[in-house]
Amino acid sequence: MRRSFFQRHRAAFERFDGILLQNPVLERGLVLAPVIVASYNYRNSLVLGLSFILITFVTVLLSSFIPRRIPYTVRTILYTLIACGVFAPTAMLMDQLFPGTVLRVGVFLPLLVANSLIVVKSESRFHKQSMGRMILDLFCNTLGFCLAILVVGILRELVGSGSFLGSPVQGMPAAPAVLMPFSGFILVGLLAAGVKRLRFRLENPGAGREEAAGNPD
């Protein structure tokens, strides 16, 4: 039933595929470092996710007005310079909303100015679309990153610190090792495998029947 619904409305789903099925982290493996290293609690994840949305969305939108006649290398440098200009007010805003968290995420916040969606995907994907389609696609991709890093951060905080959204969970044992970067690799890998599995099942209507036939029990 889910597969048939997806197939009937596939064109509509593809407009929002950056949120899940083409998630920049879970499907395309982009911007992994902040997710793996710095997202060990929900506050870090929220700051990085919101900053990513603001920096990337504004930068790609403004950079779309740069003339195509300017050489590609120069355009890429200009994209990064625009991102640096957007970074300063974004960091100040995050520091006001979440005091102290900007310092805890460290270098991973300024590194967002050179993320793959700005440096690579601006030219290869976003700037090739109409303005309306670009805005929707860009929003979905940045939102997809934010959701992915939040899921990773909340799960690592829950298991690693025994707390949920900063509040201790009664009776929840803590495993501090989960706060280390290696757990980020494992968790992102598991989530990515789940997304790819979901996409395969949605895009291949006969997959469920073939699996059922191969497993008669």
Side-chain angles (χ1 to χ4, degrees):
M1 183 176 181
R2 290 190 300 269
R3 287 190 290 271
S4 61
F5 180 81
F6 175 80
Q7 294 296 330
R8 289 197 304 270
H9 301 86
R10 183 165 184 165
F13 276 104
E14 287 179 349
R15 296 178 184 176
F16 305 94
D17 60 2
I19 297 176
L20 181 61
L21 299 182
Q22 284 284 346
N23 187 286
V25 176
L26 304 181
E27 175 62 22
R28 283 174 275 162
L30 303 178
V31 207
L32 282 175
V35 182
I36 290 170
V37 180
S39 62
Y40 53 83
N41 59 49
Y42 93 96
R43 288 179 67 89
N44 287 8
S45 301
L46 188 58
V47 166
L48 288 168
L50 292 177
S51 298
F52 183 87
I53 291 177
L54 291 173
I55 293 171
T56 305
F57 189 90
V58 175
T59 298
V60 176
L61 184 62
L62 293 178
S63 65
S64 66
F65 296 101
I66 295 176
R68 299 297 94 189
R69 63 177 177 271
I70 296 176
Y72 170 77
T73 302
V74 177
R75 292 202 307 272
T76 304
I77 295 173
L78 291 176
Y79 298 164
T80 308
L81 290 176
I82 293 173
C84 290
V86 178
F87 165 77
T90 299
M92 292 172 63
L93 176 62
M94 292 300 111
D95 194 46
Q96 289 293 319
L97 296 175
F98 308 95
T101 305
V102 170
L103 291 177
R104 283 199 295 272
V105 298
V107 71
F108 294 101
L109 186 60
L111 280 179
L112 295 180
V113 303
N115 73 72
S116 302
L117 266 65
I118 293 175
V119 177
V120 178
K121 294 298 179 179
S122 291
E123 290 282 335
S124 64
R125 181 179 177 114
F126 300 122
H127 291 169
K128 293 182 177 181
Q129 302 170 338
S130 65
M131 181 59 72
R133 180 61 187 270
M134 181 190 74
I135 289 174
L136 177 61
D137 192 22
L138 183 57
F139 176 73
C140 289
N141 275 268
T142 54
L143 179 61
F145 172 88
C146 187
L147 293 176
I149 198 172
L150 276 174
V151 169
V152 172
I154 290 172
L155 289 176
R156 290 174 73 184
E157 178 184 357
L158 180 63
V159 180
S161 301
S163 61
F164 179 72
L165 302 182
S167 301
V169 178
Q170 187 174 6
M172 181 71 183
V178 175
L179 303 178
M180 302 298 290
F182 80 90
S183 70
F185 276 107
I186 295 172
L187 188 53
V188 169
L190 291 173
L191 292 173
V195 169
K196 289 186 177 182
R197 177 68 172 175
L198 174 63
R199 182 174 182 177
F200 175 78
R201 290 179 65 84
L202 290 175
E203 293 183 350
N204 297 272
R209 291 191 294 270
E210 293 174 2
E211 290 177 0
N215 297 276
D217 293 340

